[in-house]
Amino acid sequence: MTKIKKRQLDYVVISDLHLGTYGCKAKELFTYLKTIQPKVLILNGDIIDIWQFSKNYFPKSHMNVIKHITSLLSKRTRVYYITGNHDEMLRKFRGFHIGGLTILNKLILELDHKKAWIFHGDIFDVTMKHSKWLAKLGGIGYDALIIINTFINSISIFFGYGKLSISKKIKNSVKSAVKFINNFEETASEIAIENGYDYVVCGHIHQPEMREISNSKGKTMYLNSGDWIENLTALEYQNKKWSLYEYAKDPLVQEASGIKIKKGKSSKLKKEEKNLIFEELLKEFEIKISKNSL
């Protein structure tokens, strides 16, 4: 393998990897991680998909990602693991700290005299509380759609038409999905403005974005790291500014290649415990969510 000079970065935010599911683009993610050397890596939720975890499916490429992230700790990279809804069992361990790794529900950073508020985003999603079974059913359906999409892509590439993203097209064309995304972005930004945060950094909705949002009380920069299922994106902070990384537009990753690995396993929370953790999460964020919030 040709040795590649790594890009030095102050902060990198990745989210919604969904390791342990068929849709996860672990090989591409691993390739990206091999081309960067961040001082701080922020894992912003849904890293391992415990909802759909199966001991029968955790390929080497997925374990590869985990091993690489842990190896960064030995290279003095600070790693923050911010919990999401698909890895919510880790919310029991918020505040856990060992070496350069810390598990949190939210993170507030001082970046060159500006404040960044970083959290996964499912706190705004009432389905996580009121219709969790429906959200899980949607996740299973989404995973099935990704498998179908992979099959269709193999045929499409064979005939020279390139890759298609069916789930992305569906999400971008359904009015309710577009409305949800807009409401999510505005809700996060309004609370950030109210609390004086210059940046609000989320994941959860698999929609990479960087844009300034303002209202009568002020403005903030809304950022979303996207996902590693369809968009293959990350947020990078260097030289006092944020940028949205897109794997498809990075010539450096074309030179990089992979490495070797093993398997993993999962765990389950009882329903009552999950609800209690969610209630504690609401208290920690000091916000109330009603059915009309979104």
Side-chain angles (χ1 to χ4, degrees), residues 280-292:
E280 289 176 354
L281 188 64
L282 287 175
K283 287 178 189 174
E284 184 175 345
F285 277 79
E286 297 177 341
I287 59 174
K288 293 180 181 178
I289 295 188
S290 68
K291 290 185 179 181
N292 298 320

Side-chain angles (χ1 to χ4, degrees), residues 109-123:
L109 288 177
E110 188 86 30
L111 299 177
D112 299 304
H113 309 295
K114 290 186 177 182
K115 278 188 180 179
W117 180 35
I118 307 170
F119 61 102
H120 182 62
D122 62 295
I123 192 69

Side-chain angles (χ1 to χ4, degrees), residues 71-85:
S71 75
L72 287 174
L73 292 167
S74 65
K75 296 172 184 173
R76 298 188 179 177
T77 292
R78 182 136 187 83
V79 177
Y80 291 103
Y81 194 127
I82 298 173
T83 57
N85 49 301

Side-chain angles (χ1 to χ4, degrees), residues 8 19 24 45 51 77 82 100 108 115 128 140 205 239 284:
Q8 303 295 311
L19 291 166
C24 173
W51 277 11
T77 292
I82 298 173
I108 296 169
K115 278 188 180 179
M128 295 302 105
I140 293 166
I205 57 173
N239 298 324
E284 184 175 345

Side-chain angles (χ1 to χ4, degrees), residues 93-139:
F93 306 104
R94 73 185 185 282
F96 174 81
H97 173 80
I98 183 168
L101 172 69
T102 305
I103 298 175
L104 300 164
N105 289 334
K106 63 179 179 180
L107 175 65
I108 296 169
L109 288 177
E110 188 86 30
L111 299 177
D112 299 304
H113 309 295
K114 290 186 177 182
K115 278 188 180 179
W117 180 35
I118 307 170
F119 61 102
H120 182 62
D122 62 295
I123 192 69
F124 299 141
D125 190 349
V126 291
T127 64
M128 295 302 105
K129 171 63 178 170
H130 301 290
S131 305
K132 187 166 283 192
W133 67 271
L134 187 61
K136 287 188 178 184
L137 184 62

